[in-house]
Amino acid sequence: MSASRSGGGGATQDVASMEESRLRKRKEGYRPPCQIPVGLRDTLKIVLEEELYIPGFDLLHSLITQGISSESTHDHASSVPGTGTATPTVIPTTASNNSNSNNSSSTDIKASKKEHALQDGVVPVYVPPSAHLKLCTTILAHPSFTTHVSKKKDRDAGLVPPIAERLLRRLMALAGPQGMNINEAWGTFGGEGRGGSPGSLGVNGSSRGGNASRGNTPDPSAIFEDNKLDLSISRRDGLFERAEDFWAIVGWAFTCACADTAQFPSTDSEEDIKEKRKGMKKRWGAWKRVLSVMVEGLERDWEDRSVLVQDGPSLPADPDTIVVRSRSTTSTSTGTSPRPHVSRDQECAEIHSQQKNALIVKYLPKSTGNAAFRRVVRAIFADGKGKQNAEWREIWRDEVYSLKTIRGRKNKKAVPVAPTKANGRKSNTKEKKEVPKKSLLDESSSDEDEEDEDEEGDAMADVEYEEDEFKPEDGTVEWGGMEALLLRHRLLVLISDVVRHGFFCATDKFFEELKDYILPLPHAQFLLFTNPLLLPFPAPSPDSATTISTNTPFYNYHISINLTILRSLITSNAPSATSLGYDYDVLNEQLLLACYLPWAARTTNLVDNTKMAVVLQSLVRVLARYAGLRGTPEMVGAMEDGVERRKAKVGSSSTGGAGRGKPSVNRLRKDEAARRRWIEAEGRLRGLVEVLSLLG
């Protein structure tokens, strides 16, 4: 998507480079990654394998944040854990690194790397092995740490996910996604746990830890020869072993977010459906953490690969080359000089070579077929309805059920009913007497009481209110709330930027697929995916006043999706951008006034003309905020022409569904509501243009 600026004068070039400058400064601010010393790494391995997650993660957090508040170079050096000879070695950003390479490093090499760190004034940041990062990510959503925590026995387990999230975010801010090597930590799915017994989710927390090889004693000489953790949750029961791919996580997470409106098979009982809805709501709280952290990592990784630092890449193109960066210059540990000035074509080629190794590119299907392409879009638009309810399955078996239900199923299987001559009445009496005999301190009783309290707290959520004529429509519930909507938009913006750079699929194909999902939506939901004001705008720089770069992914996405929708709505009498000598995906003030603003929809349907007015509002808002668009008499005239044409087009038409005989009361109410929305949309468009005229 390209776009030309419609206002702002001579500041165009400064504004266009603002976003790139911001990303470059962030990339230059990352610390060089370093290995954790062998002794500390082995200690950390023992602590985590003993399931001491809180002290283990606290130790890890202390390691990665060492020296963060020190100003002097000597303070940085003295704050490095591992005194004396335990100076850290700079870590290669490749999976081939292991403890053997550490042992083979000589004292002279360590001294040389220490000298570089002291000379450049930037202390490195310790980066844990990828197995530790996988463990942290798994803990964010694993039922044993979130929704299946026994408050009687495992009270501290619920404290681990926030600590793990803080650790991942802090490491991402200090070392960057490439420095922490998310390609290795998050890049592989479907390990040995896939296809195994899905019932590894234990009731008493057995899946929380436990050595994966308790039955087979490992070779003592090989215990510390790798960075893997001998934990079930880190291997066969880990998130990346249970999930098919990243899009399976996305689809299931958004399905949990839409628990209130999700559809379930007709074979499920009402009690089962009610418990599933309740469990999915709780699971969304856990999956929200995972998506938030992983989406942030994907965004940072892609953005960092899309820019070049001033004096050279902040991370080496060669995985075996170490970069030690100072506050003002960039140099390599091999003593090479800063990268000389290169042409723009060479920069683009270098950026493209970096982008193709981005994790989001690896997540996208390599197949050019429509099936794999549409699966990604379906995951982002997952709402738990129709076929999607069957497509996106839970990652861990029975994760949506409570511990009470899981224990009840296991007890029924484990304790068979002995044959008896007693009649049904006597058996029922016996069962009723067993219930009050449970102790108040019994774990299952405590869980039952907790479940009853939760049911009472959620009772108001099931109350159905009568439809209020003046109650505003809320489409966020259908899509899991604003938090889920923001994550959906972030993924759409990210993938659209990837597509624009020549990866995954053609740009027009991607936005046509999105259009097929967005255009049929009801009015309230249609606004959520087209109006940029409903989600946070990227904050403008203080130096840019009210103008932001027109080359940001957010701008390009909203221009592309709204233009794609508009082209499918607008009348065929309107001139196209190509007829005026522009590419079809370009938008500027000239095209807005000639090709879009003064025209009506191709049909007389109220809904189509309303959506066209909404899309025009979005385009004007984006151009005004990003490209400095201001109102002119020509714009006011084009807007008034469009309003009059749509008014003449609509006439006395309805929303459709006209048949023989007198229309029903519901139909009349629906038509009245649609006409009111159309009038409001036209009024907002007119007011927006008038405000821009005053600013101009």
Side-chain angles (χ1 to χ4, degrees), residues 72-86:
S72 67
T73 302
H74 298 287
D75 290 341
H76 283 307
S78 62
S79 63
V80 177
T83 58
T85 58

Side-chain angles (χ1 to χ4, degrees), residues 1-4 496 499-501 506-509 511-512 550-551 555-567 576-588 591-592 595-596 619 622-623:
M1 162 61 62
S2 59
S4 62
S496 68
V499 168
R500 285 182 57 251
H501 286 81
T507 306
D508 55 347
K509 180 180 179 182
F511 284 102
E512 284 291 334
T550 57
N551 194 32
Y555 170 86
N556 291 325
Y557 168 76
H558 278 285
I559 291 294
S560 296
I561 187 60
N562 281 288
L563 279 182
T564 303
I565 295 174
L566 186 57
R567 283 194 294 265
S576 62
T578 55
S579 65
L580 299 181
Y582 292 91
D583 292 337
Y584 76 97
D585 59 348
V586 172
L587 181 65
N588 55 27
L591 293 176
L592 181 67
C595 302
Y596 305 115
L619 292 175
V622 174
L623 284 179

Side-chain angles (χ1 to χ4, degrees), residues 620-643:
V620 172
R621 284 192 178 104
V622 174
L623 284 179
R625 184 71 185 272
Y626 277 69
L629 179 67
R630 293 297 179 262
T632 61
E634 293 78 9
M635 182 184 298
V636 175
M639 179 270 300
E640 292 293 347
D641 290 343
V643 172

Side-chain angles (χ1 to χ4, degrees), residues 475-554:
T476 59
V477 178
E478 301 287 337
W479 298 98
M482 290 302 297
E483 290 179 305
L485 268 172
L486 179 58
L487 288 170
R488 294 179 199 266
H489 274 263
R490 289 171 64 182
L491 285 171
L492 290 174
V493 171
L494 176 61
I495 297 177
S496 68
D497 198 41
V498 173
V499 168
R500 285 182 57 251
H501 286 81
F503 300 100
F504 185 37
C505 66
T507 306
D508 55 347
K509 180 180 179 182
F510 175 72
F511 284 102
E512 284 291 334
E513 187 71 19
L514 297 187
K515 182 258 298 181
D516 292 340
Y517 276 88
I518 297 174
L519 185 56
L521 293 176
H523 179 76
Q525 300 178 41
F526 182 80
L527 286 172
L528 298 175
F529 290 96
T530 56
N531 191 340
L533 293 183
L534 296 180
L535 292 171
F537 260 103
S541 170
D543 300 331
S544 65
T546 58
T547 311
I548 310 178
S549 168
T550 57
N551 194 32
T552 60
F554 189 89

Side-chain angles (χ1 to χ4, degrees), residues 12-26:
T12 303
Q13 296 300 326
D14 295 338
V15 173
S17 61
M18 189 181 309
E19 182 71 7
E20 183 178 357
S21 175
R22 180 187 68 83
L23 296 178
R24 185 182 291 115
K25 288 180 180 179
R26 187 183 73 184

Side-chain angles (χ1 to χ4, degrees), residues 586-621:
V586 172
L587 181 65
N588 55 27
E589 183 177 356
Q590 179 185 356
L591 293 176
L592 181 67
L593 301 185
C595 302
Y596 305 115
L597 203 55
W599 299 98
R602 67 180 60 187
T603 67
T604 61
N605 191 284
L606 268 172
V607 175
D608 290 346
N609 283 272
T610 303
K611 290 181 177 179
M612 183 172 176
V614 169
V615 170
L616 289 173
Q617 293 174 45
S618 300
L619 292 175
V620 172
R621 284 192 178 104

Side-chain angles (χ1 to χ4, degrees), residues 302-325:
W302 173 257
E303 291 172 353
D304 292 345
R305 295 176 187 271
S306 301
V307 295
L308 300 176
V309 296
Q310 296 287 357
D311 300 319
S314 63
L315 288 174
D318 182 1
D320 298 324
T321 302
I322 307 304
V323 169
V324 181
R325 184 178 58 261

